[in-house]
């Protein structure tokens, strides 16, 4: 059997709610809608951690933050942070695929340290972690005509992904990761042709919530100033449509090369985002202490390969990035020799239209020393020293009533706490556990939660490594 190619598209800050495929009635996302209609849409997909670096580390390693040790976003401009080999000792998906004979590449956001050179496992490397201008004099081996492009370079990530597809060795299957960043703050400067239709939008899919009882409560308190939320929303919506266009370019390239039927295409996001939901602008670190509200943890997750997965499905089983990593390996016929250390489970059979009778009925997450367990009905959030939360999502989907101290729910709290302790007791590394995050290498400044938007941009020349020379 011919091994499938794998193309993973992972955006930054693209919440599940911000897509037509997930019910948004105003956003224009025809490419993603097409993928969902012809592929498998996971209706209950979650990130293990609602912030960039640890979420991405979970995907790449298939392991929890309390295993891989990345617990917050990495301020890569800080020499102290940049000096840490954050994934030392971990085996990434890139390594697993390359060891299995795949040619591997990344174009876009990495955000796990060491982006000035390709980590182990990559044959092709182009890192861009923010939508910034190319510096004057910038050149690539192939795009010299674009060497001095100024302004917001919207297409570089896709350009280099296409370059990978056109220049890869054709005697091996490929694994390509494309990390789009347009949906990340600051939400401004997107093409007016995309922004204009949203300037008069009702934004009716954003609930008029009561304010979440923590931390940053006004739009002006996140990412500098947000004096005009409607303008920010129009820009955010435009950024989603912009990424949708770029995804379309890659699907067109697969069609041109007659690779579509041989390629599993996955669209996902590292975590969600609130744009006024619960009174929050931001994700898990949009409040202090950090939060696990639904909009922070729910992500889009769509898988499509004509003829190889059963299209037209919407699966309601709860899955995370850990399960996605396991599914990609399973689909490629790669069996990890350390499966006992990987909490995720393949849902490939679900994509084939088969039931998995013993699929877990809960997902788990963490952010620093915060830990969460979510079932179909309840969500328990525990923080050492408090505050802790229990929400009945069936009766209170907007998470407005904290039942943690309600005597009538003591049994639920005890049961979910036991499940939480058992899960982390099985998988957490005592040295890298989030419960001792303050003793681990520093990820960012002590006051980083006050300025989460100041993530560092790394823009590098794409590099074919010696394995392909």
């Amino acid at each position: 059997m011919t091994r499938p190619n794998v193309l993973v598209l992972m955006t930054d800050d693209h919440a599940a709610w911000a897509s037509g495929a997930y019910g948004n009635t105003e956003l224009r996302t025809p490419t993603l809608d097409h993928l969902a209609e012809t592929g498998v849409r996971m209706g209950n997909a979650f990130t293990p951690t609602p912030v960039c670096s640890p979420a991405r580390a979970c995907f790449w390693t298939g392991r929890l933050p309390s295993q891989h040790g990345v617990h917050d976003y990495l301020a890569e401009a800080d020499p102290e942070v940049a000096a840490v080999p954050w994934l030392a000792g971990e085996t990434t998906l890139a390594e697993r695929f390359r060891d299995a004979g795949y040619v591997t590449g990344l174009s876009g956001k990495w955000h796990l340290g060491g982006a000035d050179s390709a980590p182990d496992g990559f044959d092709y490397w182009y890192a861009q972690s923010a939508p910034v201008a190319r510096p004057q004099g910038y050149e690539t081996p192939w795009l010299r005509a674009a060497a001095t492009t100024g302004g917001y370079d919207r297409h570089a990530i896709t350009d280099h992904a296409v370059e990978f597809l056109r220049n890869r060795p054709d005697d091996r299957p490929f694994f390509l990761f494309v990390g789009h960043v347009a949906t990340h703050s600051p939400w401004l400067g997107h093409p007016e042709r995309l922004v204009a239709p949203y300037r008069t939008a009702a934004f009716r899919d954003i609930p008029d919530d009561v304010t979440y009882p923590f931390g940053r409560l006004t739009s002006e308190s996140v990412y500098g100033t947000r004096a005009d939320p409607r303008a920010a929303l129009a820009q955010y919506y435009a950024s989603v449509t912009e990424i949708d266009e770029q995804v379309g370019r890659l699907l067109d390239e697969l069609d041109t090369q007659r690779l579509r039927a041989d390629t599993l295409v996955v669209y996902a996001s590292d975590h969600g985002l609130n744009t006024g939901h619960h009174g929050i602008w931001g994700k898990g670190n949009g409040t202090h202490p950090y939060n696990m509200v639904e909009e922070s943890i729910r992500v889009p997750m769509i898988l499509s390969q004509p003829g190889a997965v059963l299209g037209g499905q919407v699966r309601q089983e709860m899955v995370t990035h850990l399960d996605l990593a396991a599914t990609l390996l399973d689909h490629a016929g790669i069996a990890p020799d350390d499966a006992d250390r990987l909490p995720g489970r393949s849902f490939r059979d679900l994509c084939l239209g088969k039931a998995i009778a013993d699929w877990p009925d809960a997902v788990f997450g963490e952010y620093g020393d915060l830990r969460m367990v979510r079932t179909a009905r309840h969500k328990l959030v525990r923080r050492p020293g408090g505050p802790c939360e229990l929400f009945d999502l069936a009766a209170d989907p907007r998470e407005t009533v904290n039942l943690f101290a309600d005597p009538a729910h003591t049994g639920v709290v005890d049961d979910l706490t036991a499940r939480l302790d058992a899960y982390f007791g099985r998988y957490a590394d005592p040295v890298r556990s989030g419960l001792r995050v303050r003793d681990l290498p520093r990820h960012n400044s002590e006051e980083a939660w006050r300025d989460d938007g100041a993530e560092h941009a790394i823009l590098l020349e794409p590099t074919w490594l010696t394995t392909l020379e």
Side-chain angles (χ1 to χ4, degrees):
M1 178 181 176
T2 302
R3 289 178 297 173
N5 304 309
V6 178
L7 169 61
V8 176
L9 303 125
M10 183 172 285
T11 47
D12 192 343
D13 282 17
H14 186 187
W17 63 265
S19 171
Y22 283 83
N24 192 294
T25 59
E26 294 182 287
L27 262 163
R28 297 166 177 83
T29 52
T31 305
L32 298 182
D33 296 349
H34 172 73
L35 276 180
E37 290 164 2
T38 58
V40 180
R41 176 169 67 85
M42 306 307 294
N44 287 295
F46 299 87
T47 182
T49 305
V51 75
C52 303
S53 300
R56 290 166 184 272
C58 289
F59 168 77
W60 282 111
T61 67
R63 307 211 309 150
L64 293 163
S66 280
Q67 294 176 293
H68 57 63
V70 181
H71 291 281
D72 210 336
Y73 81 86
L74 300 177
E76 293 170 317
D78 185 329
E80 182 179 336
V81 174
V84 177
W86 289 97
L87 294 186
E90 298 294 327
T91 303
T92 67
L93 285 178
E95 293 174 279
R96 297 186 193 275
F97 273 90
R98 194 166 74 168
D99 288 348
Y102 278 68
V103 58
T104 59
L106 176 144
S107 182
K109 188 165 186 176
W110 171 243
H111 205 183
L112 288 168
D116 56 343
S117 61
D120 290 343
F122 288 98
D123 297 312
Y124 177 87
W125 184 254
Y126 172 78
Q128 178 178 318
S129 57
V132 297
R134 287 175 174 160
Q136 294 296 312
Y138 172 82
E139 292 189 353
T140 77
W142 313 286
L143 302 179
R144 299 186 189 281
T148 58
T149 299
Y152 184 150
D153 188 348
R154 305 173 190 287
H155 297 164
I157 290 172
T158 305
D159 289 344
H160 290 97
V162 170
E163 192 70 24
F164 169 89
L165 292 172
R166 292 179 179 176
N167 289 277
R168 62 188 170 79
D170 59 8
D171 59 347
R172 287 188 279 161
F174 67 79
F175 173 88
L176 173 61
F177 179 92
V178 180
H180 288 296
V181 297
T183 37
H184 197 284
S185 64
W187 301 299
L188 49 83
H190 293 282
E192 185 59 24
R193 66 182 176 82
L194 299 179
V195 179
Y198 297 122
R199 293 196 185 280
T200 57
F203 302 115
R204 54 180 172 266
D205 298 296
I206 299 176
D208 184 15
D209 282 327
V210 298
T211 298
Y212 193 73
F214 293 147
R216 303 181 231 173
L217 305 181
T218 67
S219 59
E220 288 80 10
S221 65
V222 181
Y223 309 129
T225 180
R226 191 64 68 222
D228 189 347
R230 284 191 57 84
L233 285 170
Q235 293 283 342
Y236 180 68
Y237 275 43
S239 73
V240 175
T241 299
E242 186 172 338
I243 287 175
D244 188 87
E245 290 184 344
Q246 299 304 306
V247 175
R249 286 183 61 198
L250 290 173
L251 294 185
D252 290 348
E253 184 64 29
L254 293 178
D255 286 337
T256 297
Q257 297 191 32
R258 299 183 179 179
L259 294 172
R260 187 65 185 88
D262 301 322
T263 305
L264 175 67
V265 177
V266 178
Y267 184 88
S269 178
D270 52 3
H271 48 72
L273 187 75
N274 299 267
T275 58
H277 304 77
H278 312 283
I280 302 169
W281 278 81
K283 50 243 183 190
N285 55 2
T287 59
H288 196 260
Y290 298 152
N291 72 78
M292 285 278 185
V293 298
E294 290 289 283
E295 286 74 14
S296 294
I297 62 175
R298 280 187 173 271
V299 298
M301 191 178 292
I302 301 167
L303 300 90
S304 174
Q305 185 181 356
V309 303
L310 181 61
Q313 292 190 85
V314 179
R315 304 296 314 201
Q316 298 301 335
E317 290 86 353
M318 292 191 290
V319 299
T320 72
H321 293 324
L322 306 176
D323 304 310
L324 177 59
T327 301
L328 299 184
L329 294 172
D330 186 19
H331 192 66
I334 301 172
D337 57 9
D338 57 349
D340 60 320
R341 299 170 58 235
L342 304 176
R345 180 175 177 183
S346 172
F347 56 82
R348 183 171 183 266
D349 278 352
L350 300 181
C351 295
L352 300 177
K354 304 175 183 178
I356 301 179
D358 60 344
W359 189 261
D361 64 347
V363 291
F364 298 84
E366 59 176 320
Y367 190 173
D369 59 7
L370 174 160
R371 289 179 172 177
M372 178 210 73
V373 54
R374 186 199 186 282
T375 66
R377 179 164 183 176
H378 292 104
K379 180 191 295 182
L380 175 69
V381 177
R382 300 211 65 136
R383 304 175 181 88
C388 299
E389 299 159 337
L390 175 71
F391 297 113
D392 183 337
L393 299 174
D396 178 29
R398 300 309 304 153
E399 302 173 78
T400 62
V401 180
N402 183 3
L403 301 171
F404 184 81
D406 181 359
H409 289 82
T410 299
V412 176
V413 170
D414 291 345
D415 174 65
L416 293 179
T417 298
R419 296 185 66 176
L420 199 63
D421 291 344
Y423 182 82
F424 282 95
R426 177 179 178 183
Y427 292 113
D429 180 333
V431 174
R432 295 179 169 182
S433 169
L435 296 183
R436 59 180 303 270
V437 66
R438 296 184 184 279
D439 300 322
L440 297 176
R442 184 166 62 83
H443 296 64
N444 45 55
S445 69
E446 285 295 316
E447 297 300 313
W449 68 272
R450 298 186 186 277
D451 189 22
D452 168 64
E455 295 186 28
H456 180 52
I458 298 176
L459 183 59
L460 304 173
E461 296 184 6
T463 305
W464 286 102
L465 301 188
T466 55
T467 53
L468 293 184
E469 293 179 351

